[in-house]
Amino acid sequence: MAHIVLDSCAGRDGGREALEAAAIASLQLDHQITVVGDESDITTALAKIAHDAERLRVAHARDRCEPDMDAAEVLRQAPRNSVVVGLEIAARDPSAVFVSAGAPGLIVAGAQQILGRIPGVPHAALAAVYPTLRPHGPVSDLFALLLDVGATVECSGDDLVTFAAMGAAYAAKISRIDRPRVALLCNGHGISNAPARAREAHRRLLAARPAFEYVGCIRADSVTSGDADVIVTDGFSGDVLLRTLEGVAATGESLLRRAAEKFQWRVGVQMLSDGISAIREFTDWENYGGAPLLGFDRAVMVTQADSGRRAFLNAIRLGAKIDRLQVIAAISAGVAEFHGLGAPPASPPDPEAT
């Protein structure tokens, strides 16, 4: 049984839907749940929401974060905020999963201060899934993994190879892929024009003998093909790519809707409407909850700022699955194995690194 620690100070309706998700989870799921936020506000709200009082606890966080404050300001001016308090609770419980729709920068900064770092992981990575044309693994998973998508904007070659090891270990557990195919996001099919960090990572991945299959470089226009189970990049590029994929999906849905409006016969409209619904269901990020923050000794789920009940519930389910499958231990073992199998050491800093 996992211990879900849920930040109720962020998400849709000022965190109200996060609290409603916690209440639903207490009734439907076999997990202990701790909701973090203003104790008085939470207690008042819970009095009007059906929940299992034996499975749902409240932890008080006296400080609230202002939306325009950066992570350093929040930690300095509001040190007992819900992210910090929640992470502290998670740090004390090996079975804990922290879930929050708070600012990713604050969650990463808080985790760096409070949680233990997996040995061999210099920086953390946010991992997101995206749909592909080709399914993955024996369960025919229709999604591949992209990391980093925002935790570490400035990456070194060492960060990228470590992200590869973490992503492969995650995919092996979650999608049951024995030997995940890992690719490095590049601006061409070759590596010669890539930044120094990518060239360094490419060299080391080629020379290593990892438990995953390194398939080389992949361009952004090929990421949805399904040729790779895991795609590795820096946090800035990954975030831009992920937002682009989301925007393309939204544009496709709008174009289909526009086409449906032009049809004058019922069957055509129904066919296109069914297609629109399928696309919406397939690309709706709330169906997948949140992005796991990899690199720490606790499971941390980061959901989008406007997450609703469904997103929080799915983030809780995924976090519990990570705990049940012992994904963090698998990542730790994967990183240790990669760095201990004769992977070449990092090269001296490259003046061309960007």
Side-chain angles (χ1 to χ4, degrees):
M1 183 174 67
H3 176 195
I4 307 299
V5 183
L6 182 66
D7 173 11
S8 69
C9 293
R12 200 172 298 160
D13 196 15
R16 168 78 181 198
E17 295 208 18
L19 184 58
E20 291 175 354
I24 294 170
S26 73
L27 295 169
Q28 296 182 354
L29 306 178
D30 187 23
H31 304 303
Q32 182 65 49
I33 299 169
T34 298
V35 178
V36 185
D38 184 278
E39 185 173 11
S40 177
D41 290 347
I42 293 172
T43 302
T44 300
L46 284 176
K48 304 173 184 178
I49 304 173
H51 65 283
D52 186 338
E54 293 186 0
R55 287 189 175 172
L56 197 154
R57 303 170 184 167
V58 179
H60 182 60
R62 69 167 187 262
D63 296 332
R64 291 196 65 92
C65 310
E66 297 299 327
D68 58 345
M69 296 170 66
D70 63 25
E73 287 180 302
V74 172
L75 293 175
R76 184 172 60 253
Q77 298 180 25
R80 303 307 297 165
N81 62 76
S82 56
V83 170
V84 167
V85 173
L87 287 169
E88 288 178 347
I89 294 170
R92 296 192 293 267
D93 186 351
S95 68
V97 176
F98 179 64
V99 180
S100 177
L106 174 60
I107 298 171
V108 173
Q112 288 172 339
Q113 289 189 8
I114 297 166
L115 301 181
R117 189 79 58 84
I118 291 175
V121 178
H123 296 100
L126 272 170
V129 295
Y130 63 93
T132 61
L133 296 173
R134 185 183 305 171
H136 304 264
V139 296
S140 294
D141 193 338
L142 296 176
F143 297 87
L145 192 71
L146 173 67
L147 73 164
D148 178 25
V149 295
T152 305
V153 174
E154 296 289 342
C155 287
S156 65
D158 195 47
D159 288 319
L160 294 177
V161 298
T162 305
F163 293 171
M166 290 199 296
Y170 182 92
K173 279 290 188 177
I174 296 296
S175 299
R176 290 192 268 173
I177 304 172
D178 288 337
R179 191 172 171 79
R181 298 162 300 163
V182 177
L184 196 62
L185 184 65
C186 293
N187 55 345
H189 293 297
I191 197 67
S192 59
N193 293 323
R197 60 179 178 270
R199 298 197 303 271
E200 167 71 10
H202 178 72
R203 180 188 70 82
R204 294 180 63 188
L205 289 167
L206 282 176
R209 301 186 302 279
F212 53 86
E213 179 185 357
Y214 177 57
V215 297
C217 300
I218 190 169
R219 295 194 324 185
D221 60 354
S222 299
V223 296
T224 56
S225 66
D227 291 337
D229 304 307
V230 178
I231 294 180
V232 174
T233 188
D234 62 271
F236 178 82
S237 301
D239 186 45
V240 170
L241 176 59
L242 185 63
R243 302 301 176 189
T244 301
L245 292 171
E246 291 173 348
V248 168
T251 300
E253 181 180 331
S254 297
L255 291 174
L256 274 176
R257 192 183 307 280
R258 190 180 305 171
E261 292 171 356
K262 292 183 178 181
F263 274 94
Q264 299 300 316
W265 59 90
R266 184 181 303 174
V267 174
V269 171
Q270 183 61 47
M271 289 175 63
L272 281 177
S273 296
D274 291 345
I276 291 171
S277 298
I279 288 177
R280 184 187 300 115
E281 184 71 15
F282 194 55
T283 60
D284 187 354
W285 59 267
E286 288 212 355
N287 288 331
Y288 315 111
L293 179 62
L294 307 181
F296 298 104
D297 61 0
R298 296 291 185 273
V300 177
M301 300 298 302
V302 181
T303 69
Q304 295 202 28
D306 60 342
S307 292
R309 284 184 298 274
R310 183 158 48 95
F312 281 110
L313 279 169
N314 286 323
I316 289 170
R317 291 188 177 99
L318 178 55
K321 183 177 181 179
I322 289 172
D323 176 70
R324 184 178 73 254
L325 297 179
Q326 299 183 327
V327 173
I328 302 302
I331 290 173
S332 181
V335 170
E337 182 181 22
F338 178 84
H339 287 301
L341 281 176
S347 299
D350 188 325
E352 297 181 15
T354 58

